[in-house]
Amino acid sequence: MPSYLEVWRPEGPELVSLEGDRVTIGAHVSNDVVLSADRTVSRLHAVLEAFPAGWSLRDMGSRNGTFVNGQKLAGERVLGPGDEVRIGRTRLVLRGGGHGDHTATEAAQPPPALTRRERDVVIALCRPVLSGDVFTEPASIRAVAAELVVSEAAVKQHLLNLYDKFAISADNRRLELANQAIRRGAVSIADLRRPPPAAAGP
């Protein structure tokens, strides 16, 4: 299965195919993945290197560090599909499998059928993607409940249904749900830009 990076830019996500044995990431235009709009990114910030078993990430002595799944990278780390990398204020997610033929990307599974309220919950969960802060975590249960003006218990019940529908059993289920919802098209950037239901009316 080919590998690619999901790069979250201000205008929305971009898919970057991972080709060759070395992919550089940084603010300078000579990099394979250029993050020049992010002033917190170093000229040469990090490097992805390909091994038969997959991709390894190394920070190149950047000013602000590199984070994988919320933890600061020390040395080198092997990445797996769905791992979330933060470089400066930019969020990147590794998609696909091991190193191999990276000339194409595999279409994501379509999203499961959602009720209107389940969709509202997913949109609220993913809304931090558009905030000015680094997106390391989706919205909390309390924040989703406040946005939708419902109880936290109701949100938890909807989330349990959503975990079943998306077949999620990872440790950080909210993060995996947010990633899958965006990758599989259950939520679009346009959805996230629309005001919350509670804010839309009196």
Side-chain angles (χ1 to χ4, degrees), residues 43-178:
R43 286 168 62 83
L44 174 58
H45 199 108
V47 172
L48 276 166
E49 289 186 298
F51 293 90
W55 290 91
S56 177
L57 179 68
R58 182 159 39 101
D59 184 89
M60 301 301 290
S62 64
R63 290 188 310 273
N64 298 310
T66 300
F67 295 78
V68 178
N69 298 329
Q71 295 185 329
K72 190 168 185 177
L73 186 64
E76 202 162 351
R77 175 162 171 173
V78 175
L79 299 181
D83 276 347
E84 181 182 88
V85 177
R86 175 164 58 86
I87 290 179
R89 292 188 172 275
T90 303
R91 174 180 176 251
L92 307 96
V93 182
L94 180 67
R95 301 295 184 194
H99 182 234
D101 177 14
H102 307 298
T103 56
T105 57
E106 207 170 87
Q109 254 186 308
L114 304 179
T115 66
R116 193 179 76 174
R117 206 50 170 167
E118 286 170 349
R119 200 159 179 280
D120 288 343
V121 168
V122 170
I123 291 170
L125 188 74
C126 296
R127 204 175 294 283
V129 170
L130 292 184
S131 73
D133 299 326
V134 175
F135 179 49
T136 55
E137 279 290 324
S140 66
I141 290 171
R142 178 176 291 179
V144 173
E147 178 175 316
L148 301 179
V149 195
V150 296
S151 68
E152 291 183 31
V155 172
K156 287 178 183 176
Q157 187 56 57
H158 286 304
L159 285 173
L160 288 174
N161 293 339
L162 287 161
Y163 297 147
D164 284 343
K165 287 187 175 185
F166 281 86
I168 290 170
S169 58
D171 289 340
N172 194 338
R173 293 187 295 176
R174 283 187 303 111
L175 180 59
E176 181 59 24
L177 174 59

Side-chain angles (χ1 to χ4, degrees), residues 7-21:
V7 182
W8 285 86
R9 302 187 185 276
E11 61 273 19
E14 174 192 351
L15 300 184
V16 178
S17 180
L18 294 178
E19 299 175 357
D21 294 323

